[in-house]
Coordinates of all heavy atoms in Angstrom, one line a residue:
M180 N -18.7 33.4 93.8 CA -17.2 33.7 93.8 C -16.5 32.9 92.9 O -16.6 31.7 92.8 CB -16.7 33.5 95.3 CG -15.3 33.8 95.4 SD -14.8 33.7 97.2 CE -13.8 32.3 97.2
A181 N -15.6 33.5 92.1 CA -14.8 32.8 91.1 C -13.7 32.1 91.8 O -13.1 32.5 92.8 CB -14.2 33.8 90.1
L182 N -13.3 30.9 91.3 CA -12.2 30.1 91.9 C -11.0 30.6 91.1 O -10.8 30.4 89.9 CB -12.5 28.6 91.6 CG -11.5 27.7 92.2 CD1 -11.4 27.8 93.8 CD2 -11.8 26.2 91.9
T183 N -10.1 31.2 91.9 CA -8.8 31.7 91.3 C -7.7 30.9 91.9 O -7.8 30.2 92.9 CB -8.7 33.2 91.6 OG1 -8.5 33.3 93.0 CG2 -9.9 34.0 91.1
A184 N -6.5 31.1 91.3 CA -5.3 30.5 91.8 C -5.0 31.0 93.2 O -4.6 30.2 94.1 CB -4.1 30.8 90.9
E185 N -5.3 32.3 93.5 CA -5.0 32.8 94.8 C -6.0 32.2 95.8 O -5.6 31.9 96.9 CB -5.2 34.3 94.8 CG -4.8 35.0 96.1 CD -4.6 36.5 96.0 OE1 -4.8 37.0 94.9 OE2 -4.4 37.1 97.0
T186 N -7.2 32.0 95.4 CA -8.2 31.3 96.3 C -7.7 29.9 96.7 O -7.7 29.4 97.8 CB -9.6 31.2 95.7 OG1 -10.0 32.5 95.4 CG2 -10.6 30.5 96.6
L187 N -7.2 29.2 95.7 CA -6.6 27.8 95.9 C -5.4 27.9 96.8 O -5.3 27.0 97.7 CB -6.2 27.2 94.5 CG -7.4 26.8 93.6 CD1 -6.9 26.4 92.3 CD2 -8.3 25.7 94.3
L188 N -4.6 28.8 96.7 CA -3.4 29.0 97.6 C -3.9 29.2 99.0 O -3.3 28.6 99.9 CB -2.5 30.1 97.1 CG -1.5 29.8 96.0 CD1 -0.8 31.1 95.6 CD2 -0.5 28.7 96.4
N189 N -4.8 30.1 99.2 CA -5.3 30.5 100.5 C -5.9 29.3 101.2 O -5.9 29.1 102.4 CB -6.2 31.6 100.5 CG -5.5 32.9 100.2 OD1 -4.3 33.1 100.5 ND2 -6.2 33.9 99.5
T190 N -6.5 28.4 100.4 CA -7.2 27.2 100.9 C -6.2 26.1 101.2 O -6.2 25.5 102.3 CB -8.2 26.7 99.9 OG1 -9.2 27.7 99.7 CG2 -8.9 25.4 100.5
A191 N -5.2 25.8 100.3 CA -4.3 24.8 100.4 C -3.2 25.1 101.4 O -2.8 24.2 102.2 CB -3.7 24.4 99.1
I192 N -2.6 26.3 101.3 CA -1.5 26.6 102.2 C -1.8 28.0 102.8 O -1.2 29.0 102.4 CB -0.2 26.6 101.4 CG1 0.0 25.3 100.6 CG2 1.0 26.9 102.3 CD1 1.2 25.3 99.7
P193 N -2.7 28.1 103.8 CA -3.0 29.4 104.3 C -1.8 29.9 105.1 O -1.0 29.2 105.8 CB -4.1 29.1 105.3 CG -4.5 27.7 105.1 CD -3.4 27.0 104.3
N194 N -1.6 31.2 105.1 CA -0.6 31.9 105.9 C -0.8 31.6 107.3 O -1.9 31.6 107.8 CB -0.6 33.4 105.7 CG -0.1 33.8 104.3 OD1 0.7 33.1 103.7 ND2 -0.6 34.9 103.8
G195 N 0.3 31.2 108.1 CA 0.2 30.9 109.5 C -0.4 29.6 109.8 O -0.5 29.2 111.0
T196 N -0.6 28.7 108.8 CA -1.1 27.4 109.1 C 0.0 26.4 108.9 O 0.7 26.5 107.9 CB -2.3 27.0 108.2 OG1 -3.3 27.9 108.4 CG2 -2.7 25.6 108.4
T197 N 0.2 25.5 109.8 CA 1.3 24.5 109.6 C 1.0 23.5 108.5 O -0.1 22.9 108.4 CB 1.5 23.7 111.0 OG1 1.8 24.7 112.0 CG2 2.6 22.7 110.8
R198 N 2.0 23.4 107.6 CA 2.0 22.4 106.6 C 3.3 21.6 106.7 O 4.2 22.1 107.4 CB 1.8 23.0 105.2 CG 0.4 23.7 105.0 CD -0.7 22.6 105.0 NE -2.0 23.2 104.7 CZ -3.0 23.1 105.5 NH1 -3.0 22.5 106.6 NH2 -4.2 23.6 105.1
Y199 N 3.4 20.5 106.0 CA 4.6 19.7 106.2 C 5.3 19.5 104.9 O 4.8 19.1 103.9 CB 4.1 18.3 106.8 CG 3.4 18.6 108.1 CD1 2.0 18.8 108.1 CD2 4.1 18.6 109.3 CE1 1.4 19.1 109.3 CE2 3.5 18.9 110.4 CZ 2.1 19.1 110.4 OH 1.5 19.4 111.6
V200 N 6.6 19.8 104.9 CA 7.4 19.8 103.7 C 8.3 18.6 103.6 O 8.9 18.2 104.7 CB 8.3 21.1 103.6 CG1 9.2 21.1 102.4 CG2 7.5 22.4 103.7
G201 N 8.3 17.9 102.5 CA 9.1 16.7 102.3 C 9.8 16.7 101.0 O 9.6 17.6 100.1
L202 N 10.5 15.6 100.7 CA 11.2 15.4 99.4 C 10.6 14.3 98.6 O 10.0 13.3 99.1 CB 12.6 15.0 99.8 CG 13.4 16.0 100.6 CD1 14.8 15.4 101.0 CD2 13.6 17.3 99.9
L203 N 10.7 14.4 97.3 CA 10.1 13.5 96.3 C 11.2 12.9 95.4 O 12.2 13.5 95.1 CB 9.1 14.2 95.4 CG 7.9 14.9 96.1 CD1 7.1 15.7 95.1 CD2 7.0 13.8 96.7
T204 N 10.9 11.6 95.0 CA 11.8 11.0 94.1 C 11.2 11.0 92.7 O 11.8 10.4 91.8 CB 12.1 9.5 94.5 OG1 10.9 8.8 94.6 CG2 12.8 9.5 95.9
N205 N 10.1 11.6 92.5 CA 9.5 11.9 91.2 C 8.7 13.2 91.2 O 8.5 13.7 92.3 CB 8.6 10.7 90.8 CG 7.3 10.7 91.5 OD1 7.2 11.1 92.6 ND2 6.3 10.2 90.8
L206 N 8.4 13.6 90.1 CA 7.5 14.8 90.0 C 6.1 14.3 89.6 O 5.9 13.8 88.5 CB 8.0 15.8 89.0 CG 9.4 16.4 89.4 CD1 9.9 17.4 88.4 CD2 9.3 17.1 90.8
P207 N 5.1 14.4 90.5 CA 3.8 13.9 90.2 C 3.1 14.6 89.0 O 3.3 15.7 88.8 CB 3.0 14.1 91.5 CG 3.7 15.2 92.2 CD 5.2 15.1 91.8
T208 N 2.4 13.8 88.2 CA 1.6 14.3 87.1 C 0.2 13.7 87.2 O 0.0 12.8 88.0 CB 2.2 13.9 85.8 OG1 2.3 12.5 85.7 CG2 3.6 14.5 85.6
T209 N -0.7 14.1 86.3 CA -2.0 13.4 86.3 C -1.8 11.9 86.0 O -1.1 11.6 85.0 CB -2.8 14.1 85.2 OG1 -3.0 15.4 85.5 CG2 -4.2 13.4 85.1
G210 N -2.2 11.1 86.8 CA -2.1 9.6 86.7 C -0.8 9.1 87.3 O -0.7 7.8 87.3
T211 N 0.1 9.9 87.7 CA 1.3 9.4 88.4 C 1.4 10.1 89.7 O 1.7 11.3 89.8 CB 2.6 9.8 87.5 OG1 2.4 9.3 86.2 CG2 3.8 9.2 88.2
P212 N 1.1 9.3 90.8 CA 1.2 9.9 92.1 C 2.6 10.2 92.6 O 3.6 9.6 92.1 CB 0.6 8.8 93.0 CG 0.8 7.5 92.3 CD 0.8 7.9 90.8
A213 N 2.7 11.1 93.5 CA 4.0 11.4 94.1 C 4.6 10.2 94.8 O 3.9 9.5 95.5 CB 3.8 12.6 95.1
V214 N 5.9 10.1 94.8 CA 6.6 9.1 95.5 C 7.6 9.8 96.5 O 8.5 10.5 96.1 CB 7.5 8.1 94.6 CG1 8.2 7.1 95.5 CG2 6.5 7.4 93.6
E215 N 7.2 9.7 97.8 CA 8.0 10.4 98.8 C 9.3 9.7 99.1 O 9.3 8.4 99.1 CB 7.2 10.6 100.1 CG 7.9 11.5 101.1 CD 7.0 11.9 102.2 OE1 5.9 11.4 102.4 OE2 7.5 12.7 103.0
A216 N 10.4 10.4 99.4 CA 11.6 9.8 99.8 C 11.5 9.0 101.0 O 10.6 9.2 101.8 CB 12.7 10.9 100.0
T217 N 12.3 8.0 101.1 CA 12.3 7.2 102.4 C 13.8 7.0 102.7 O 14.7 7.2 101.9 CB 11.7 5.8 102.1 OG1 12.4 5.1 101.1 CG2 10.3 5.8 101.8
G218 N 14.1 6.6 103.9 CA 15.4 6.4 104.3 C 15.6 6.7 105.8 O 14.8 7.5 106.4
S219 N 16.6 6.2 106.4 CA 16.8 6.3 107.8 C 17.1 7.8 108.1 O 18.0 8.4 107.5 CB 18.0 5.5 108.2 OG 18.2 5.6 109.6
G220 N 16.4 8.4 109.0 CA 16.6 9.8 109.4 C 15.7 10.7 108.6 O 15.6 11.9 109.0
Y221 N 15.0 10.3 107.6 CA 14.1 11.2 106.8 C 12.8 11.4 107.5 O 12.2 10.4 107.9 CB 13.9 10.6 105.4 CG 12.9 11.4 104.6 CD1 13.2 12.7 104.1 CD2 11.6 11.0 104.5 CE1 12.2 13.5 103.5 CE2 10.6 11.7 103.9 CZ 10.9 13.0 103.4 OH 10.0 13.7 102.8
A222 N 12.3 12.6 107.5 CA 11.0 12.9 108.0 C 10.6 14.3 107.4 O 11.4 15.1 107.1 CB 10.9 13.0 109.5
R223 N 9.3 14.4 107.2 CA 8.7 15.8 106.8 C 9.0 16.8 107.9 O 9.1 16.4 109.1 CB 7.2 15.7 106.6 CG 6.8 14.8 105.4 CD 5.3 14.7 105.3 NE 4.9 13.7 104.3 CZ 3.7 13.3 104.1 NH1 2.7 13.8 104.8 NH2 3.5 12.4 103.2
V224 N 9.1 18.0 107.5 CA 9.3 19.1 108.4 C 8.1 20.0 108.5 O 7.6 20.5 107.5 CB 10.6 19.9 108.0 CG1 10.8 21.1 108.9 CG2 11.8 19.0 107.9
A225 N 7.7 20.4 109.7 CA 6.6 21.3 109.9 C 7.0 22.7 109.6 O 8.2 23.1 109.9 CB 6.1 21.2 111.3
H226 N 6.2 23.4 108.9 CA 6.5 24.8 108.5 C 5.2 25.6 108.5 O 4.2 25.2 107.9 CB 7.2 24.9 107.1 CG 7.7 26.2 106.8 ND1 8.8 26.8 107.3 CD2 7.2 27.2 105.9 CE1 9.0 28.0 106.8 NE2 8.0 28.2 105.9
S227 N 5.2 26.8 109.0 CA 4.0 27.6 109.1 C 4.2 29.1 108.6 O 3.3 29.9 108.6 CB 3.3 27.6 110.4 OG 4.2 28.2 111.4
A228 N 5.4 29.4 108.3 CA 5.7 30.8 107.8 C 5.7 30.9 106.3 O 6.7 30.9 105.6 CB 7.1 31.3 108.4
W229 N 4.4 31.1 105.8 CA 4.2 31.3 104.4 C 3.9 32.7 104.0 O 3.2 33.4 104.8 CB 3.1 30.4 103.9 CG 3.2 28.9 104.3 CD1 2.6 28.3 105.3 CD2 4.1 28.0 103.7 NE1 3.0 27.0 105.4 CE2 3.9 26.8 104.4 CE3 4.9 28.0 102.6 CZ2 4.6 25.6 104.0 CZ3 5.6 26.9 102.2 CH2 5.4 25.7 102.9
I230 N 4.3 33.2 102.9 CA 4.0 34.5 102.4 C 3.6 34.5 101.0 O 3.9 33.6 100.3 CB 5.1 35.5 102.6 CG1 6.4 35.1 101.8 CG2 5.5 35.7 104.1 CD1 7.5 36.1 101.8
D231 N 2.8 35.5 100.5 CA 2.5 35.7 99.1 C 3.6 36.4 98.4 O 4.2 37.3 99.0 CB 1.2 36.4 99.0 CG 0.0 35.6 99.5 OD1 0.1 34.4 99.6 OD2 -1.0 36.2 99.8
S232 N 3.8 36.1 97.2 CA 4.7 36.8 96.3 C 4.1 36.9 94.9 O 3.7 35.9 94.4 CB 6.1 36.0 96.3 OG 7.0 36.6 95.4
V233 N 4.1 38.1 94.4 CA 3.6 38.2 93.0 C 4.8 38.0 92.1 O 5.9 38.5 92.3 CB 3.0 39.6 92.8 CG1 2.6 39.8 91.3 CG2 1.8 39.8 93.7
G234 N 4.6 37.2 91.0 CA 5.6 36.8 90.1 C 6.4 38.0 89.6 O 5.9 39.0 89.2
G235 N 7.7 37.9 89.6 CA 8.7 38.9 89.2 C 8.8 39.1 87.7 O 9.4 40.0 87.3
D236 N 8.2 38.1 87.0 CA 8.4 38.2 85.5 C 7.2 39.0 84.8 O 7.1 38.9 83.6 CB 8.6 36.8 84.9 CG 7.4 35.9 85.2 OD1 6.4 36.4 85.9 OD2 7.5 34.7 84.8
G237 N 6.4 39.7 85.7 CA 5.4 40.5 85.1 C 4.1 39.7 84.8 O 3.2 40.2 84.2
D238 N 4.0 38.4 85.2 CA 2.9 37.6 84.8 C 1.7 37.9 85.7 O 0.6 37.5 85.4 CB 3.2 36.1 84.8 CG 3.6 35.6 86.1 OD1 3.5 36.3 87.1 OD2 4.1 34.4 86.1
G239 N 1.9 38.6 86.9 CA 0.8 38.9 87.8 C 0.3 37.8 88.6 O -0.7 37.9 89.3
I240 N 0.9 36.6 88.5 CA 0.5 35.4 89.2 C 1.0 35.5 90.7 O 2.1 35.9 90.9 CB 1.0 34.1 88.6 CG1 0.4 34.0 87.2 CG2 0.7 32.9 89.4 CD1 0.9 32.8 86.4
T241 N 0.1 35.2 91.6 CA 0.5 35.2 93.0 C 1.0 33.8 93.4 O 0.3 32.8 93.1 CB -0.7 35.5 93.9 OG1 -1.2 36.8 93.6 CG2 -0.4 35.5 95.4
Y242 N 2.1 33.8 94.0 CA 2.7 32.5 94.4 C 2.8 32.5 96.0 O 2.8 33.5 96.6 CB 4.2 32.4 93.9 CG 4.2 32.4 92.4 CD1 4.4 33.6 91.7 CD2 4.2 31.2 91.7 CE1 4.5 33.6 90.3 CE2 4.3 31.2 90.3 CZ 4.4 32.4 89.6 OH 4.5 32.4 88.3
R243 N 2.7 31.3 96.5 CA 2.9 31.2 98.0 C 4.4 30.6 98.1 O 4.8 29.7 97.4 CB 1.9 30.2 98.5 CG 2.0 29.9 100.0 CD 1.5 31.1 100.9 NE 0.5 32.0 100.4 CZ -0.8 31.9 100.7 NH1 -1.2 31.0 101.5 NH2 -1.7 32.7 100.2
K244 N 5.1 31.2 99.0 CA 6.5 30.7 99.3 C 6.8 30.7 100.7 O 6.1 31.4 101.5 CB 7.5 31.6 98.5 CG 7.6 33.0 98.9 CD 8.6 33.7 98.1 CE 8.9 35.1 98.6 NZ 9.9 35.8 97.8
N245 N 7.8 30.0 101.1 CA 8.2 30.0 102.5 C 8.9 31.3 102.9 O 9.6 31.9 102.1 CB 9.1 28.8 102.8 CG 10.4 28.8 101.9 OD1 10.3 28.8 100.7 ND2 11.5 28.8 102.6
N246 N 8.7 31.7 104.1 CA 9.3 32.9 104.6 C 10.3 32.5 105.7 O 10.0 32.5 106.9 CB 8.2 33.8 105.2 CG 8.8 35.2 105.6 OD1 9.8 35.5 105.2 ND2 8.1 35.9 106.5
G247 N 11.4 32.0 105.3 CA 12.4 31.5 106.2 C 12.9 30.2 105.6 O 12.4 29.6 104.7
T248 N 14.0 29.7 106.2 CA 14.6 28.5 105.8 C 13.9 27.3 106.3 O 13.4 27.3 107.4 CB 16.1 28.5 106.4 OG1 16.8 29.6 105.9 CG2 16.8 27.2 105.9
I249 N 13.8 26.3 105.4 CA 13.2 25.0 105.8 C 14.3 24.0 105.8 O 15.0 23.8 104.8 CB 12.1 24.6 104.8 CG1 11.0 25.6 104.8 CG2 11.6 23.2 105.2 CD1 9.9 25.3 103.8
E250 N 14.7 23.5 107.0 CA 15.8 22.6 107.1 C 15.3 21.2 107.5 O 14.6 21.0 108.5 CB 16.8 23.1 108.2 CG 17.5 24.4 107.8 CD 18.5 24.8 108.8 OE1 19.1 23.9 109.4 OE2 18.7 26.0 108.9
L251 N 15.8 20.2 106.8 CA 15.5 18.8 107.1 C 16.6 18.4 108.2 O 17.7 18.9 108.2 CB 15.6 17.9 105.9 CG 14.6 18.2 104.8 CD1 14.9 17.4 103.6 CD2 13.2 17.8 105.3
A252 N 16.2 17.4 109.0 CA 17.2 16.8 109.9 C 18.3 16.1 109.2 O 18.2 15.8 108.0 CB 16.5 15.8 110.8
A253 N 19.4 16.0 109.8 CA 20.6 15.3 109.2 C 20.1 13.9 108.9 O 19.6 13.2 109.7 CB 21.7 15.3 110.2
L254 N 20.4 13.5 107.6 CA 20.0 12.2 107.2 C 21.1 11.2 107.5 O 22.3 11.4 107.3 CB 19.7 12.2 105.7 CG 18.6 13.2 105.3 CD1 18.4 13.3 103.8 CD2 17.3 12.9 106.0
T255 N 20.7 10.0 107.9 CA 21.7 8.9 108.2 C 21.8 7.9 107.1 O 22.5 6.9 107.2 CB 21.3 8.2 109.5 OG1 20.0 7.7 109.4 CG2 21.3 9.2 110.7
S256 N 21.1 8.1 106.0 CA 21.3 7.2 104.8 C 21.3 8.1 103.5 O 20.8 9.2 103.5 CB 20.2 6.2 104.8 OG 19.0 6.7 104.5
N257 N 21.9 7.6 102.5 CA 21.9 8.3 101.2 C 20.6 8.3 100.6 O 19.9 7.3 100.4 CB 22.9 7.5 100.3 CG 23.2 8.3 99.1 OD1 22.7 9.4 98.9 ND2 24.0 7.8 98.2
L258 N 20.1 9.5 100.2 CA 18.8 9.6 99.5 C 19.0 10.0 98.1 O 18.7 11.1 97.6 CB 18.0 10.7 100.2 CG 17.5 10.3 101.6 CD1 16.8 11.5 102.3 CD2 16.6 9.2 101.6
D259 N 19.6 9.1 97.3 CA 19.8 9.3 95.9 C 18.4 9.5 95.2 O 17.4 8.9 95.6 CB 20.5 8.2 95.2 CG 22.0 8.1 95.6 OD1 22.6 9.2 95.9 OD2 22.6 7.0 95.6
G260 N 18.4 10.2 94.1 CA 17.2 10.3 93.3 C 16.2 11.4 93.8 O 15.1 11.4 93.3
I261 N 16.6 12.3 94.7 CA 15.7 13.3 95.1 C 15.6 14.3 93.9 O 16.6 14.9 93.5 CB 16.2 14.0 96.4 CG1 16.3 13.1 97.5 CG2 15.2 15.2 96.7 CD1 15.1 12.3 97.9
V262 N 14.4 14.6 93.4 CA 14.2 15.5 92.3 C 13.2 16.6 92.6 O 13.1 17.5 91.9 CB 13.7 14.7 91.0 CG1 14.8 13.7 90.6 CG2 12.4 14.0 91.3
G263 N 12.5 16.5 93.7 CA 11.4 17.5 94.0 C 11.1 17.6 95.5 O 11.6 16.9 96.3
W264 N 10.2 18.5 95.7 CA 9.7 18.8 97.1 C 8.2 18.7 97.0 O 7.5 18.8 96.0 CB 10.1 20.2 97.5 CG 9.7 21.3 96.6 CD1 10.5 21.8 95.6 CD2 8.4 21.9 96.4 NE1 9.8 22.7 94.8 CE2 8.5 22.8 95.3 CE3 7.2 21.8 97.1 CZ2 7.5 23.6 94.9 CZ3 6.2 22.6 96.7 CH2 6.3 23.5 95.7
G265 N 7.6 18.5 98.2 CA 6.1 18.5 98.3 C 5.7 19.1 99.6 O 6.5 19.2 100.6
V266 N 4.5 19.6 99.6 CA 3.9 20.2 100.8 C 2.6 19.4 101.1 O 1.7 19.3 100.2 CB 3.5 21.7 100.6 CG1 2.8 22.2 101.9 CG2 4.8 22.5 100.3
W267 N 2.5 18.8 102.3 CA 1.4 17.9 102.7 C 0.6 18.6 103.8 O 1.1 19.4 104.5 CB 2.0 16.6 103.2 CG 2.4 15.7 102.1 CD1 1.7 14.7 101.5 CD2 3.7 15.6 101.5 NE1 2.4 14.0 100.6 CE2 3.7 14.5 100.6 CE3 4.9 16.3 101.7 CZ2 4.8 14.2 99.8 CZ3 6.0 15.9 100.9 CH2 5.9 14.9 100.0
S268 N -0.6 18.0 104.0 CA -1.5 18.5 105.0 C -1.2 17.8 106.3 O -1.8 18.3 107.4 CB -3.0 18.2 104.6 OG -3.1 16.8 104.4
A269 N -0.4 16.8 106.4 CA -0.2 16.1 107.7 C 1.3 15.6 107.7 O 2.0 15.5 106.7 CB -1.1 14.9 107.8
I270 N 1.8 15.4 108.9 CA 3.1 14.9 109.2 C 3.4 13.6 108.5 O 4.5 13.3 108.1 CB 3.5 14.9 110.7 CG1 5.0 14.7 110.9 CG2 2.7 13.8 111.4 CD1 5.8 15.9 110.5
S271 N 2.4 12.7 108.4 CA 2.5 11.5 107.7 C 1.1 11.2 107.0 O 0.1 11.7 107.5 CB 2.9 10.3 108.6 OG 1.9 10.0 109.5
G272 N 1.2 10.5 105.9 CA -0.1 10.4 105.1 C -0.5 11.8 104.6 O 0.3 12.6 104.2
G273 N -1.8 12.1 104.8 CA -2.3 13.4 104.4 C -2.4 13.5 102.9 O -2.2 12.6 102.1
T274 N -2.7 14.8 102.5 CA -2.9 15.1 101.1 C -1.7 15.9 100.6 O -1.3 16.9 101.3 CB -4.2 15.9 100.9 OG1 -5.2 15.1 101.4 CG2 -4.4 16.3 99.5
L275 N -1.2 15.6 99.4 CA -0.1 16.4 98.8 C -0.8 17.7 98.3 O -1.7 17.6 97.4 CB 0.6 15.6 97.7 CG 1.7 16.4 96.9 CD1 2.8 16.7 97.9 CD2 2.1 15.6 95.7
L276 N -0.4 18.8 98.8 CA -1.1 20.1 98.4 C -0.4 20.8 97.3 O -1.0 21.6 96.5 CB -1.2 21.0 99.6 CG -1.9 20.4 100.8 CD1 -1.7 21.3 102.1 CD2 -3.4 20.2 100.5
A277 N 0.9 20.7 97.2 CA 1.7 21.4 96.2 C 3.0 20.6 96.1 O 3.5 19.9 97.0 CB 2.0 22.8 96.7
S278 N 3.6 20.7 94.9 CA 4.9 20.1 94.6 C 5.6 20.8 93.5 O 5.0 21.6 92.8 CB 4.7 18.6 94.3 OG 4.0 18.5 93.1
G279 N 6.9 20.5 93.4 CA 7.7 21.1 92.3 C 9.1 20.6 92.3 O 9.5 19.8 93.2
P280 N 9.9 20.9 91.3 CA 11.3 20.4 91.2 C 12.2 21.1 92.1 O 12.0 22.3 92.5 CB 11.6 20.7 89.7 CG 10.8 21.9 89.4 CD 9.5 21.8 90.2
I281 N 13.3 20.5 92.5 CA 14.3 21.1 93.3 C 15.2 21.9 92.3 O 15.6 21.3 91.2 CB 15.1 20.1 94.1 CG1 14.2 19.5 95.1 CG2 16.4 20.7 94.6 CD1 14.9 18.7 96.2
V282 N 15.4 23.1 92.5 CA 16.2 24.0 91.6 C 17.5 24.3 92.3 O 17.6 24.7 93.5 CB 15.4 25.3 91.3 CG1 16.1 26.2 90.4 CG2 14.0 24.9 90.8
D283 N 18.6 24.1 91.6 CA 19.9 24.5 92.0 C 20.2 25.9 91.6 O 20.6 26.2 90.5 CB 20.9 23.5 91.5 CG 22.3 23.8 92.0 OD1 22.6 24.7 92.8 OD2 23.3 23.1 91.5
F284 N 20.2 26.8 92.6 CA 20.4 28.2 92.3 C 21.9 28.5 92.3 O 22.4 29.6 92.0 CB 19.7 29.1 93.2 CG 18.2 29.2 93.0 CD1 17.4 28.5 93.9 CD2 17.7 29.8 91.9 CE1 16.0 28.5 93.6 CE2 16.3 29.8 91.7 CZ 15.5 29.1 92.5
D285 N 22.7 27.6 92.7 CA 24.2 27.8 92.9 C 24.9 27.4 91.6 O 26.1 27.6 91.5 CB 24.8 26.9 94.0 CG 24.3 27.5 95.3 OD1 24.0 28.7 95.5 OD2 24.1 26.6 96.3
G286 N 24.3 26.9 90.6 CA 25.1 26.6 89.4 C 24.5 25.6 88.6 O 24.8 25.2 87.5

């Protein structure tokens, strides 16, 4: 069986499986590990409603995305420097399965 991006998605973030979404203060790269946000009131959020979506730009790539809103609890301290999101295998510790930049669609 060939290892495809879709196979990796189904393994890392299976539909209907709880994964944990959090915030990053950097965007991890090869050799630079992710740095998760810290602060009073901050915690990862459990999420299990994932769906597949084929890229709208005609590239044919299958993406995994959340099916519904993911809301963090009200934070009691300022979390300056948030630049990305991450999906982990556990509520704390665990393995970072996916990450990306925070995109402002409002402007």
Side-chain angles (χ1 to χ4, degrees):
M180 180 172 109
L182 185 60
T183 65
E185 189 168 355
T186 301
L187 291 172
L188 278 176
N189 288 331
T190 301
I192 308 174
N194 291 329
T196 298
T197 299
R198 295 294 186 234
Y199 302 88
V200 179
L202 301 173
L203 299 172
T204 59
N205 74 328
L206 296 177
T208 61
T209 302
T211 304
V214 178
E215 189 171 6
T217 59
S219 183
Y221 171 76
R223 293 178 190 169
V224 176
H226 187 74
S227 61
W229 305 101
I230 60 171
D231 291 339
S232 175
V233 176
D236 58 3
D238 61 10
I240 296 173
T241 300
Y242 299 90
R243 183 68 35 97
K244 65 181 186 177
N245 58 301
N246 187 20
T248 302
I249 299 173
E250 294 185 32
L251 296 170
L254 303 175
T255 58
S256 67
N257 188 2
L258 290 174
D259 288 334
I261 302 299
V262 298
W264 53 266
V266 178
W267 283 266
S268 61
I270 193 72
S271 65
T274 302
L275 180 64
L276 303 170
S278 65
I281 294 197
V282 179
D283 180 6
F284 289 107
D285 292 330

